[in-house]
Amino acid sequence: MGIKGLSKNVIKQAWREGRLQDLHGEVVGVDAAGWVVKAVQANARELCLEIDSRLHQAAFARMLQATMHLLPADASLVLVLDGAPWPLKASTQTARRSRRESAMVQAMEAEVAGDTATALKYFKRAVTAPAEFISWIIAECSKQPRVRCVVAPYEADAQLAWLERAGEVTVVYSAAEDSDFIVYGMRRVIYDVRADGRVGHLSNSLFGVVHVVVITWTTSLGLGR
């Protein structure tokens, strides 16, 4: 996702330390794809085998609540979800679907053989977010006083670029660590959120019009890798 090597070779070489708690009055737009992926992978076997379980909902709720807990009381979130598949990426989507189908075959072979570790590895590669999970996320966000949910027409990153330019969000957080945000010219971008609230940021001079905020956390609240 994004430009290969940009995050590692450029962004992560230049951030300075700060704190998430200092984002007073900010409206943080969140590309929720990374949270969705982490949540379904936390419940990958059950989802792939259609076993009734809500572990993925619990995982997503923990990530949302951990973020809200660390943000100042005068800050808010706009959570943006991917919408319809982008037609120009049809070939990419076909290739990804083929890889997921292959992973599912390998997961089932390992499951039958009793190799649970290997099965789980491939279940995580095969799993996708069910439609009812996305509906649950939208409903869950509606219960939060400082959270708004938006479903993009196509991809969330393009929608966030529009929201930032329209003044509806003031800083963007890429939960999927997507470097496309730099290409879109977003002025302030958050990456790499972890659990103790330490924040690093880049100055505007690095990219001219882009101000990148990078947040580093411990894993104690379930947000780390």
Side-chain angles (χ1 to χ4, degrees), residues 10-186:
V10 178
I11 296 171
K12 291 186 179 180
Q13 300 300 316
W15 66 51
R16 299 195 308 269
E17 290 296 316
R19 298 194 318 149
L20 178 63
Q21 294 90 329
D22 293 334
L23 294 178
H24 289 282
E26 303 283 7
V27 181
V28 183
V30 181
D31 177 359
W35 287 358
V36 171
V37 169
K38 288 178 181 178
V40 297
Q41 286 185 345
N43 201 23
R45 180 180 179 274
E46 289 77 4
L47 286 171
C48 285
L49 297 179
E50 299 183 354
I51 298 171
D52 185 28
S53 172
R54 293 177 175 81
L55 289 176
H56 53 299
Q57 295 179 0
F60 191 94
R62 283 196 302 273
M63 289 184 277
L64 176 60
Q65 291 302 321
T67 302
M68 295 306 296
H69 175 73
L70 289 170
L71 281 173
D74 59 350
S76 60
L77 290 184
V78 177
L79 200 69
V80 182
L81 298 163
D82 288 330
W86 191 24
L88 291 179
K89 293 181 71 172
S91 60
T92 299
Q93 292 154 6
T94 298
R96 289 174 178 170
R97 183 166 55 251
S98 178
R99 289 195 293 270
R100 288 195 299 268
E101 291 171 352
S102 176
M104 186 64 177
V105 170
Q106 292 173 286
M108 292 307 300
E109 290 175 348
E111 180 82 3
V112 170
D115 186 350
T116 56
T118 299
L120 182 57
K121 179 177 74 173
Y122 286 109
F123 280 133
K124 287 182 176 182
R125 295 180 185 179
V127 71
T128 59
E132 56 268 25
F133 180 41
I134 303 303
S135 297
W136 176 87
I137 291 172
I138 295 169
E140 187 68 14
C141 288
S142 71
K143 302 173 186 177
Q144 308 296 325
R146 294 186 288 138
V147 181
R148 179 164 67 98
C149 192
V150 173
V151 179
Y154 294 109
E155 296 191 337
D157 49 6
Q159 182 69 15
L160 280 161
W162 184 89
L163 289 170
E164 193 224 27
R165 289 171 187 166
E168 295 194 31
V169 302
T170 59
V171 59
V172 172
Y173 164 41
S174 174
E177 299 187 26
D178 188 348
S179 59
D180 283 348
F181 289 113
I182 302 302
V183 179
Y184 279 118
M186 297 186 196

Side-chain angles (χ1 to χ4, degrees), residues 193-213:
V193 175
R194 307 209 174 184
D196 65 6
R198 285 179 298 151
V199 180
H201 63 89
L202 303 179
S203 67
N204 288 6
S205 60
L206 181 63
F207 298 111
V209 297
V210 179
H211 178 92
V212 180
V213 180

